[in-house]
């Protein structure tokens, strides 16, 4: 049941990523989600029992699923790494292609030494007492644990450097990665306990496996889904803020272009309402041109200059409106209106 829920979560993630990330050049997260979704789908009992006989009925499907899982985590780790500027050498080495290839070769070699018998949906429970099986699983989950630990480091760093709603995806990924590390640790403990005959220890840890699996994939899926949604929400919020600033500059810009006609009046198509950033930039430029042109008489108040500076900071990405919801509110009419001639 756990594998089915995890597979469903991952396919939902894939669908959402295909919708919200379709225009992004970096598809690492989408590739990772798809690969891991296929891997977890293969682990669903009904799917496994249908697929494994196609490869001879000797549990080759387990190797295929685990290989896909490792490849998916490789892409996942690289996707998280590329999402931020913090890329320490150890993390880069962990999610590097050579590390993945070494791990894949190692589990393949170990798998060949397992007395696999016939198709079983309880691969580790039935065969985990073999040293080769334990070695296979330990290599597999050691690699997964290291990659997820690297993701944990990156996600935690992104959380500390993020602000506001940007922290939500990072927090979800941090929690998911933490649960993932705990999951891999639990599997490693069970592997060692099983192969050394400490069945009581294995059975004591076993209940945590399903819970940690669900929590890991739930939070990771939520985090990767939230990333593009938060970016899109911020994009629309910035677009609204840009349009609001352009509207507030309209009276000042009208006066500026009356005394010193600019490109906008000469060529109305030079800017478009569909490009609020370009429109705001053009208004700022034309207002500034009027302010510094000694041939024309153009006066501005302190409030107008402050508004102009707010608009400039907004275009540079340093606007107060991102953190101060009142930044775009009109200033009090009771404030001093000292004027100067530029």
């Amino acid at each position: 049941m756990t594998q089915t829920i995890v597979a469903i979560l991952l396919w939902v993630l894939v669908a959402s990523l295909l919708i919200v990330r379709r225009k992004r050049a970096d598809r690492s997260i989408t590739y990772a989600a798809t690969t891991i979704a296929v891997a977890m789908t293969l682990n669903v009992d009904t799917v496994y029992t249908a697929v494994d006989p196609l490869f001879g009925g000797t549990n080759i499907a387990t190797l295929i699923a685990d290989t896909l899982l490792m490849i998916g985590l490789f892409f996942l780790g690289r996707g998280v790494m590329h999402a931020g500027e913090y890329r320490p050498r150890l993390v880069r080495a962990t999610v590097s292609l050579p590390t993945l290839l070494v791990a894949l070769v190692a589990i393949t070699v170990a798998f060949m030494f397992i007395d696999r018998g016939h198709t079983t949906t309880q691969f580790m429970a039935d065969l985990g007492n073999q040293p080769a099986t334990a070695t296979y699983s330990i290599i597999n989950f050691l690699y997964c644990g290291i990659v997820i630990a690297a993701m944990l480091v990156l996600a935690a760093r992104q959380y500390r450097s993020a602000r506001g709603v940007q922290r939500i995806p990072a927090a979800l990924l941090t929690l998911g990665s933490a649960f993932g590390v705990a999951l891999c640790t639990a599997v490693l403990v069970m592997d060692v306990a099983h192969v050394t005959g400490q069945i009581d220890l294995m059975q004591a840890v076993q209940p945590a496996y399903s819970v940690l699996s669900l929590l890991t994939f739930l939070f990771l899926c939520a985090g990767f889904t939230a990333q593009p949604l938060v970016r899109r929400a911020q994009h629309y919020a910035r677009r609204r803020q840009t349009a609001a600033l352009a509207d507030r500059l309209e009276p000042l810009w009208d006066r500026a272009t009356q005394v010193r006609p600019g490109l906008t009046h000469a060529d109305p198509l030079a800017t478009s309402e569909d490009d609020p950033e370009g429109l705001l930039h053009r208004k700022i430029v034309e207002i500034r041109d009027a302010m510094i042109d000694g041939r024309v008489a153009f006066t501005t108040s302190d409030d107008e200059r402050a508004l102009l500076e707010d608009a400039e900071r907004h275009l540079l990405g340093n606007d107060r409106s991102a953190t101060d919801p009142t930044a775009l509110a009109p200033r009090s009419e009771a404030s001093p209106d000292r004027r100067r001639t530029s």
Side-chain angles (χ1 to χ4, degrees):
M1 184 62 180
T2 300
Q3 301 298 338
T4 303
I5 296 174
V6 169
I8 292 172
L9 284 173
L10 285 163
W11 284 117
V12 170
L13 172 62
V14 170
S16 65
L17 291 178
L18 289 174
I19 295 171
V20 298
R21 284 180 175 260
R22 62 185 183 277
K23 295 182 180 180
R24 291 184 63 83
D26 185 5
R27 300 292 182 88
S28 296
I29 302 298
T30 304
Y31 296 151
T34 304
T35 306
I36 297 174
V38 173
M40 301 312 294
T41 301
L42 282 175
N43 283 324
V44 175
D45 289 352
T46 53
V47 177
Y48 187 89
T49 54
V51 171
D52 192 63
L54 301 177
F55 297 95
T58 58
N59 296 297
I60 295 294
T62 294
L63 178 62
I64 295 173
D66 289 338
T67 298
L68 290 174
L69 176 62
M70 293 169 69
I71 293 173
L73 285 175
F74 164 76
F75 280 115
L76 205 61
R78 292 182 70 85
V80 173
M81 183 176 68
H82 291 158
E85 297 180 358
Y86 179 66
R87 302 172 186 177
R89 181 177 301 177
L90 183 59
V91 170
R92 294 200 306 270
T94 299
V95 295
S96 66
L97 184 58
T99 303
L100 171 66
L101 293 177
V102 169
L104 290 177
V105 170
I107 66 165
T108 302
V109 171
F111 190 81
M112 295 300 113
F113 286 93
I114 300 174
D115 182 9
R116 300 188 299 275
H118 299 292
T119 299
T120 173
T121 57
Q122 302 291 326
F123 184 79
M124 290 306 301
D126 294 344
L127 309 175
N129 59 338
Q130 299 180 39
T133 308
T135 302
Y136 166 83
S137 182
I138 288 171
I139 295 172
N140 182 9
F141 279 91
L142 187 60
Y143 174 82
C144 293
I146 291 173
V147 172
I148 295 174
M151 289 169 49
L152 174 60
V153 171
L154 293 170
R157 179 60 178 259
Q158 290 170 15
Y159 177 82
R160 289 195 298 270
S161 62
R163 294 292 181 271
V165 294
Q166 290 181 337
R167 282 190 160 187
I168 295 175
L172 293 171
L173 292 177
T174 300
L175 287 171
S177 299
F179 285 126
V181 171
L183 171 64
C184 293
T185 302
V187 172
L188 293 174
V189 171
M190 287 192 292
D191 289 339
V192 174
H194 195 174
V195 76
T196 57
Q198 301 180 55
I199 305 303
D200 290 341
L201 175 59
M202 183 189 74
Q203 292 176 342
V205 177
Q206 202 165 22
Y209 176 82
S210 296
V211 176
L212 289 173
S213 292
L214 286 174
L215 290 174
T216 297
F217 287 101
L218 177 63
F219 280 100
L220 287 179
C221 289
F224 285 117
T225 302
Q227 278 183 332
L229 293 178
V230 167
R231 278 195 296 268
R232 181 167 293 189
Q234 288 182 314
H235 170 75
Y236 288 134
R238 178 175 174 82
R239 189 179 178 90
R240 288 194 300 271
Q241 292 166 1
T242 303
L245 282 167
D247 288 342
R248 291 183 59 201
L249 280 177
E250 187 81 16
L252 179 61
W253 174 73
D254 280 339
R255 290 197 296 108
T257 53
Q258 284 174 7
V259 298
R260 190 183 188 280
L263 177 62
T264 306
H265 280 242
D267 182 10
L269 298 179
T271 56
S272 169
E273 295 292 339
D274 294 333
D275 180 19
E277 298 259 344
L279 180 61
L280 180 60
H281 178 264
R282 173 52 53 190
K283 288 184 176 182
I284 291 172
V285 169
E286 293 179 350
I287 292 170
R288 286 295 186 189
D289 286 346
M291 291 173 67
I292 64 175
D293 193 339
R295 297 170 300 174
V296 300
F298 179 64
T299 59
T300 58
S301 68
D302 287 347
D303 284 350
E304 288 171 335
R305 290 193 298 276
L307 173 60
L308 188 61
E309 290 169 1
D310 282 348
E312 290 170 334
R313 282 195 296 269
H314 174 78
L315 286 182
L316 292 173
N318 300 321
D319 55 305
R320 293 181 297 115
S321 58
T323 56
D324 181 4
T326 66
L328 293 181
R331 296 174 184 268
S332 171
E333 295 182 359
S335 60
D337 189 20
R338 296 180 296 275
R339 308 177 73 88
R340 71 174 177 86
T341 301
S342 299

